[in-house]
């Protein structure tokens, strides 16, 4: 996860283009483990089904700061972009969120220059809801809308 987060093309969108320390990544992993234990969701590693087991990304759900909302997050190494894998992983996490965890709604944000991520959110059927963080447009999907489109 540290290697993925520090890829320049990944960190420019997820980490405000700042180098990501091992301690920061350990903090995210710890937060994910605590959220899994308490609420049944967190981040998953992304690997190819028929691959060599290499971690090529991560995808999952965490709380968005103090908003109380649950956010869909995903990151893939750039060598795997453009193959539909982010959409596939995100859709699996949304199915998990709505069908297994029982969440009513999930949000996701994407920096405006990240047009590929904005397309993923569109493919998932997420609707714009405005900025939840300064300068970052956010989108939302409800369980009802997911079950209709899913």
């Amino acid at each position: 996860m540290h290697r993925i987060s520090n890829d320049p093309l990944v960190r420019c969108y997820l980490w405000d283009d700042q180098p990501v320390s091992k301690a920061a990544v350990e903090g995210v992993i710890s937060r994910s483990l605590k959220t899994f234990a308490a609420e049944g969701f967190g981040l998953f590693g992304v690997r190819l089904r028929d691959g060599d087991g290499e971690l090529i990304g991560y995808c999952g759900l965490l709380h968005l700061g103090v908003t109380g909302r649950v956010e869909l997050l995903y990151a893939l190494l750039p060598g795997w972009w453009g193959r539909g894998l982010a959409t596939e992983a995100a859709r699996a996490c949304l199915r998990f969120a709505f069908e297994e965890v029982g969440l009513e709604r999930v949000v996701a944000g994407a920096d405006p220059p990240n047009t590929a991520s904005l397309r993923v959110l569109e493919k998932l059927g997420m609707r714009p809801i405005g900025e939840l963080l300064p300068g970052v447009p956010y989108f939302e999907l409800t369980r009802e809308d997911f079950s209709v489109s899913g």
Side-chain angles (χ1 to χ4, degrees):
M1 189 170 172
H2 183 254
R3 178 176 57 92
I4 295 163
S5 295
N6 273 293
D7 183 281
L9 294 174
V10 172
R11 79 172 189 221
C12 75
Y13 295 122
L14 289 182
W15 298 91
D16 295 328
D17 209 16
Q18 298 301 308
V20 184
S21 69
K22 286 189 178 184
V25 171
E26 288 169 358
V28 171
I29 293 169
S30 175
R31 190 170 137 213
S32 176
L33 291 171
K34 287 176 185 173
T35 306
F36 263 121
E39 300 180 64
F41 61 84
L43 297 175
F44 297 94
V46 175
R47 292 175 166 74
L48 297 178
R49 279 188 199 121
D50 299 328
D52 60 6
E54 174 193 7
L55 188 68
I56 63 166
Y58 51 91
C59 184
L61 307 157
L62 288 175
H63 285 283
L64 175 62
V66 296
T67 69
R69 296 176 188 235
V70 176
E71 181 178 23
L72 172 68
L73 300 164
Y74 50 88
L76 289 176
L77 287 169
W80 299 102
W81 292 3
R83 301 177 191 206
L85 297 172
T87 304
E88 182 180 349
R91 186 169 282 122
C93 284
L94 288 170
R95 179 166 281 111
F96 176 76
F98 297 129
E99 295 177 3
E100 302 295 323
V101 180
L103 297 176
E104 290 297 323
R105 63 190 68 249
V106 172
V107 300
D111 291 336
N114 191 349
T115 56
S117 193
L118 291 167
R119 278 194 305 275
V120 168
L121 300 180
E122 182 180 314
K123 288 178 193 174
L124 296 170
M126 300 189 92
R127 294 193 170 103
I129 58 170
E131 291 183 7
L132 298 178
L133 297 175
V136 181
Y138 268 80
F139 301 78
E140 180 178 77
L141 186 65
T142 64
R143 182 187 334 182
E144 181 180 344
D145 288 341
F146 182 76
S147 65
V148 168
S149 69

